[in-house]
Amino acid sequence: MTFSLPLLKPRPEDARPAWEEPPSPLGKSAKAVVLTVICAVMILPFLTVLSTSLASREEITASGGFVLFPTDPTFEAYTTILSGGLVTRAVLVSIGITVVGTTLSLLTTVGLAYALSKRGVPGSKPVLLMVLFTLLFAPGMIPMYVLVKELGLRDSYWSLILPGLINAFNLVVMRAFFMNIPEELYQAARIDGAGDWRVLTRIVMPLSKGVIAVVGLFYAVTYWNAFFNAMLYLDDSGKWPIQVVLRSYVVQGKAITSDQLGVTHMAPPQSISMAVVMLALLPILLLFPFLQKYFSKGVLTGAIKG
Amino acid sequence: MSSPATERRVRAASPPAPAPARAGGRTLRSRPPLARRLRDNWVMLALMAPGLLFFVVFFYVPMLGNIVAFEDYQPFIGFKDSALVGLANFQELFADPAFWESVRNTLAFAALQLVFFFPAPLALALLLNSLVSSRVKKFVQSVVYLPHFISWVLVVALFQQVLGGAGLVSNFLRDHGFSALDVMTDPHAFPLLITSQVIWKDIGWGMIIYLAALANVDQSLYESAAVDGANRWRRMWHVTLPAVRSVTIMLLVLRLGDVLSVGFEQFLLQRDAVGARAAEVLDTYVYYHGVVYGDWGVGAAAGLVKGVVGALMIWGANKLAHAFGEQGVYSK
């Protein structure tokens, strides 16, 4: 997030043009109120969860469930769930799926997008049409389920990765970006004797770091957030990723036993639930500030050229 | 493709007849033979292959798998050997009042989203665009983008913590002598809840594209409008809004095409709390009838109806956009 230090003098782009009338005091304060309320509504839930996950047992009992400002923060809930039981395993599963899935998705997406962005590759036109058609019509849940089952992927982590390996929208974004690279660069590289592979790895990919970062983030978020596929394809609760655990024990409110957590002493259940929520949230919060600057660029390339 | 006539003319124009397309010489008109093009592009083809394989296996094969909709599918036999039953599944589907209820719910939620969620990002973008301080703009953007990236499970969990029967607001109300709030389990409040969740999660994300369109407006247009005496509202009406017109129409077309998918996970996650009558939409109907109750054929039939109607909607909405002289999602 952009928490830059306050600058002492106003930057030139912050100046109001001479012809524009300054807003009325009423309009100005109305805007300020609306924006403050919007930001508060967005942030408050996160704050509640964070605070409650850090609150002590006494404080939770005293407040009747929720704490907004813990006076005596403790990491008890986190040490409880991270000591090797159900939640720890789910977090590891989610991390593994996210890392493997994102890598494979990026490799295949870059490859296909690059091949579809160049002229003269045999078959690229029909393949592009095939891809674009998938944006209009999805095969449907039942046929997908039947396919995954008949491929023998049920109860396998591959069932969380393979069915969503490439997202057609991400592919279109990336292809549009590749097509915007000036043709002269390709020709210059060719004259220097670079083959297709070299051009891709030495010229195209370094120039496309931004779009690769954005698409990678989109994939990573999708894998991390995957809930329905896991629920559908994994019967064995030992294989559950974090989102399914979150659903069972936080949304549906089943109690997590100390047995499942692999501990004897437990933090208060309320802060345990909230600590699970925080764990599911953490990677997103960590990635977000780094990739944010690429968002609008990446999204717009796709939206406008798509 | 060169027609014989043009070829003859070309030959006539250059008396010493040139050798027709020398080997290896790439002219505009003639392409090298396929075998050679395949050999020249083998790296590209190898790069393309895994992606192509993915689309064939996970889109086009299951597309054929929609045959389940016409079968009495038995999981243990497999879809190749299950008995074909023609349109029986569709007859059963259309005779099922629960199906029509899910259709009604889907359309109702879609209408709510169209009225309340669709304009929200545009409104926020206009508000942000009217700010002068780029620091405030960026801060608000960072805050409102964030919820887009968290899963529906998390969104529902967060809403429970704030609005649920044991949540923050309820606690506050109880402490101050009011009765507790129970939004999360109230079927009557459910449409409102669903819509506000969608707005909370995606208002910021939806705003990006409008902000970009607004940033591309030629500033001198505002200046000349101001010189001509247009106040800020007139400038908004005559300069700003026309600038976002085509983006808005494109997004509207996309939204209409997707009107039958109102948010599957969101409904699935909250169906238990408010009951099927309030929360059943087409997608959850497919899931419960097909996967949970094992009525595979009927579930697949419902999914197929949804897919076909959805594709027709995109096509129709796009036609409509063209009729209004806009580009729509794809051009003619």
Side-chain angles (χ1 to χ4, degrees), chain B residues 14-93:
Chain B
S14 48
R22 268 163 308 177
R26 290 193 186 188
T27 61
L28 276 177
R29 292 285 162 135
S30 71
R31 294 198 302 184
L34 186 62
R36 195 198 152 92
R37 287 175 63 224
L38 289 178
R39 187 153 34 89
D40 280 355
N41 284 297
W42 73 269
V43 175
M44 290 302 215
L45 293 170
L47 286 171
M48 185 154 69
L52 180 59
L53 188 70
F54 163 78
F55 278 103
V56 170
V57 173
F58 287 98
F59 270 96
Y60 289 92
V61 171
M63 213 78 97
L64 299 177
N66 271 311
I67 187 123
V68 170
F70 304 93
E71 281 182 342
D72 178 21
Y73 175 73
Q74 303 290 330
F76 296 104
I77 308 178
F79 74 94
K80 286 188 290 295
D81 301 318
S82 291
L84 277 171
V85 293
L87 295 176
N89 289 325
F90 290 90
Q91 278 164 359
E92 198 181 319
L93 178 72

Side-chain angles (χ1 to χ4, degrees), chain A residues 17-29:
Chain A
W19 48 265
E20 191 174 329
E21 59 278 60
S24 67
L26 185 69
K28 222 172 170 172
S29 32

